[in-house]
Amino acid sequence: AMEKSRPLWDNPLQFVFACISYAVGLGNVWRFPYLCQMYGGGGFLIPYFIMLIAEGMPLLYLELAVGQRMRQGSIGAWKIISPYLCGVGVASVVVSFFLSMYYNVINAWAFWYLFHSFQDPLPWATCPLNSNRTGYEEECEKTSSTQYFWYRQTLNISPSLDASGRVQWEQALCLTLAWLVVYLCILRGTESTGKVVYVTASLPYCVLIIYLIRGLTLHGAVNGLIYMFTPKLEQLSNPKTWISAATQIFFSLGLGFGSLIAFASYNEPNNNCERHAIIVSLINSATSIFASIVTFSIYGFKATFNYESCINKVILLLMNTFDLEEGSLTADNLNEMKDYLMATHPQEYAQLAPQLKNCSLEAELDTGGGGGGGGAFIVYSEAIKNMEVPQLYSVLYFVMLLMLGIGSMLGNTAAILTPLTDSRVIAARFPKEVISGAVCFINCVIGLIFTMEAGNYWFDIFNDYAATLSLLLIVLVETIAVCYIYGIRRFEKELHTMVGRKPNWYWKIMWAFASPLLIISLFIFYLTDYILTGTLQYQAWDATQGQLVTKDYPGYALAVIGLLVASSTMCIPLGALGTFIRKRLKSERVSTI
Amino acid sequence: RISDVLLCNATDRVSFWFVVTDSSKNMTTVPGSEVEAAIRMNRNRINSAFLLNDKTLQFLKITSTLSPPVEPSTPVWLIVFGVVLCLIVAGIVFLVVAGIQQRKKKNKESTERENLEEKGEVTVAVENGIPCETLDLKAGHINGVFAADDERFTSL
């Protein structure tokens, strides 16, 4: 009978684009600038590059080489390395499953904002009116119109995790559409994925270039750039800086999910994955820095705009109270005039004092909007509403977010589907389209949890805990397995046959010593951090105050968190145990015969 | 008929207090509530007389009724959503149907070949388990390793 050959990428460029499309995601555009701002501005680049050299590139090359050599998804590949390691592959699939469950919700939000960008004015530009049309909605008055649009009109968020509320049908529709789009792209396997990644990898760069030109010409952009990039070298002594740099490199490249192994398994056996690993990791980091220039100019514009509005409000208030002439108070003489008024009319000034906010540009630059998912939407939508032709920039930005998100989803689903289609048990009975459809459908149905009123709190749980610890453990086991169980000499020889050249001392030292040590220290740090802080807390939106408040997780939420971490990490020892028992039984059966 | 508007307390701020007197009723001031009601009704005309708007001309104690935003009967986002949804579903249906057709053609071809093999009429050349048709060995393959070295063969 005819043997079905493994589907291949049409050319190596598709493979590189697929990896870039997967690795470059929301984290490059949003999380990296946020970390840069928190941990020392330009100085953050130092730990970032050190971590890139120490763990990013070596671990990426390792995963690509394993995938390309074994020509199987994560489960099959690790089984070949050692039968006791089948649990590692299963753990990767479980983590990828969790990730795909919640990650597509970000695409649903991007669709929601995109569809709402075709209006004038943009719906998040103004507050809606209250019921008797005398003013704006109370909640919107307390916070800003962009935050109101995010928390109330997009999420319709409930005050706490316990108040689950109903499924929001608008969000459910957007989530269904997001999954249909993903299904369309993965329907035919590498045949369709290979063409889609041309678009999802390149379109974000076009949009980023447009935004760079637009961003740098905005009023106040320079303030943002100066503030963010001025190195605050004292942050280098803060261990959190190094931890964040290592974590960011680790998760930005998407190591440990099995996606890179899956992509590489569709390569020609003699593909030069060493060169591709270096290219992909360098492009990923370069994109982060490029995107942060764009984001910082946007930050600067937004902060300057808010600062000037604040100053204007103070000027208006003072002029109304003291009946001063128009134009007598300007931003330049505001401080002197305030002192003058305080001296000449002390009583009235004292009455007014609680309403006079101290406007500070630094304070505006510091409000990032948080490192969570909502920040990317809130900050950019706030900046966009103040630009000229906001609809155009809004559409561009959210289409870019969609491309980034779908590119990452392609990698996630590949990590789940490749082991499924590799296993002959499942692939013989069902065609590829049915398996992909089933995976998308199941994920969509479970994802409806995140469209409920308390959905964003569950989203944060998954975002913070589903992948972090498990991935560190998975990659640690991967590195130790390849270096010490498979043997680094054997791996060297395999690479020599594949790539044509033996890996030099840099790769070997990183694989054998530097990367495992780094991962172990990250792991220990996170564990002690969780243990020391005791209970875990989350940020809940308080509608009456119009801001976020901290609350403790209820018991069942902590149980879910524990289950998330345990279900993936336990696969590794259970897999090893299962193989051990099976071998024992087989050897016993053989010996008794 | 109102003819007199008296100003007082004008300040640097271009703000003032005013009263309206009724000349027909012997110069008594019109009560404040009537003036308020009149201004509320004619706010637009007063604004345009000064070339100002609700944000730049403020009457203390008279809050302006904010105009509600224009809302079309179907929200715009649903329309865009519908368009995108139809495109995506059309794409999926097209790909799935094309895939089913391709698979049916392949099945038909392989059953035809099997039938022919059974009847023994056509011996299908098989190389390494792969039928030759799929390898497209019509003209044969030139192995580049041997063909490149023309100089090694002594010329006649």
Side-chain angles (χ1 to χ4, degrees), chain A residues 1-2 112 115-116 118 129 133 135 170 173 177 180-181 183-184 187-188 316 319-320 323-326 431 433, chain B residues 11-13 15 64-68 76-77 80-81 84-85 88-89 91-92 95-96 98-99 102-103 129 131:
Chain A
M2 194 163 65
W112 169 263
F115 295 152
H116 279 87
F118 292 97
L129 304 174
R133 305 231 188 111
E170 299 97 339
L173 279 183
L177 180 66
L180 284 175
V181 171
Y183 182 52
L184 177 67
L187 187 45
R188 292 291 208 82
L316 190 65
M319 283 207 292
N320 279 345
D323 284 333
L324 300 167
E325 196 182 325
E326 286 279 345
E433 289 88 341
Chain B
T11 63
D12 289 334
R13 180 79 180 84
S15 73
S64 46
T65 315
L66 300 163
S67 56
V76 175
W77 77 271
V80 188
F81 170 80
V84 175
L85 184 69
I88 301 289
V89 171
I92 292 179
L95 278 183
V96 169
Q102 222 178 37
R103 209 169 298 125

Side-chain angles (χ1 to χ4, degrees), chain A residues 419-468:
Chain A
L420 285 180
T421 48
D422 284 344
S423 98
R424 273 173 234 126
V425 171
I426 303 180
R429 297 229 200 101
F430 305 107
K432 205 168 19 181
E433 289 88 341
V434 172
I435 304 179
S436 327
V439 169
C440 291
F441 180 71
I442 295 176
N443 273 317
C444 187
V445 168
I446 300 181
L448 289 177
I449 297 177
F450 303 111
T451 60
M452 294 196 299
E453 287 178 30
N456 198 40
Y457 301 129
W458 290 107
F459 177 87
D460 283 336
I461 287 184
F462 272 72
N463 194 22
D464 290 335
Y465 302 109
T468 35

Side-chain angles (χ1 to χ4, degrees), chain A residues 382-559:
Chain A
E382 184 158 340
I384 287 172
K385 80 176 200 288
N386 297 323
M387 294 184 191
E388 285 127 46
V389 199
Q391 285 78 15
L392 170 67
Y393 291 106
S394 184
V395 168
L396 277 179
Y397 177 66
F398 292 112
V399 165
M400 177 183 80
L401 277 196
L402 269 178
M403 294 295 113
L404 293 173
I406 291 180
S408 302
M409 281 304 293
L410 294 179
N412 290 337
T413 45
I416 304 175
L417 286 175
T418 308
L420 285 180
T421 48
D422 284 344
S423 98
R424 273 173 234 126
V425 171
I426 303 180
R429 297 229 200 101
F430 305 107
K432 205 168 19 181
E433 289 88 341
V434 172
I435 304 179
S436 327
V439 169
C440 291
F441 180 71
I442 295 176
N443 273 317
C444 187
V445 168
I446 300 181
L448 289 177
I449 297 177
F450 303 111
T451 60
M452 294 196 299
E453 287 178 30
N456 198 40
Y457 301 129
W458 290 107
F459 177 87
D460 283 336
I461 287 184
F462 272 72
N463 194 22
D464 290 335
Y465 302 109
T468 35
L469 273 182
S470 332
L471 275 186
L472 289 173
L473 189 64
I474 291 174
V475 175
L476 181 66
V477 173
E478 285 183 3
T479 324
I480 294 181
V482 168
C483 286
Y484 300 108
I485 300 183
Y486 194 70
I488 202 156
R489 304 245 168 261
R490 207 167 140 202
F491 195 56
E492 252 188 326
K493 280 203 211 109
E494 307 272 358
L495 287 177
H496 185 60
T497 1
M498 277 203 300
V499 172
R501 138 176 92 242
K502 282 200 173 182
N504 60 25
W505 56 267
Y506 157 68
W507 298 110
K508 287 190 275 193
I509 293 182
M510 294 302 152
W511 286 333
F513 303 114
S515 306
L517 280 176
L518 259 173
I519 301 177
I520 292 178
S521 36
L522 274 183
F523 198 70
I524 294 177
F525 170 79
Y526 277 114
L527 272 182
T528 47
D529 198 48
Y530 286 158
I531 295 174
L532 282 179
T533 41
T535 180
L536 298 168
Q537 297 178 316
Y538 69 105
Q539 304 277 73
W541 176 255
D542 187 344
T544 51
Q545 290 181 42
Q547 60 184 36
L548 293 166
V549 294
T550 319
K551 292 200 175 157
D552 287 336
Y553 276 125
Y556 61 88
L558 292 174

Side-chain angles (χ1 to χ4, degrees), chain B residues 22-38:
Chain B
D22 190 352
S23 50
S24 65
K25 291 217 185 104
N26 203 12
M27 300 305 247
T28 50
T29 53
V30 178
S33 47
E34 281 185 32
V35 179
E36 266 181 48

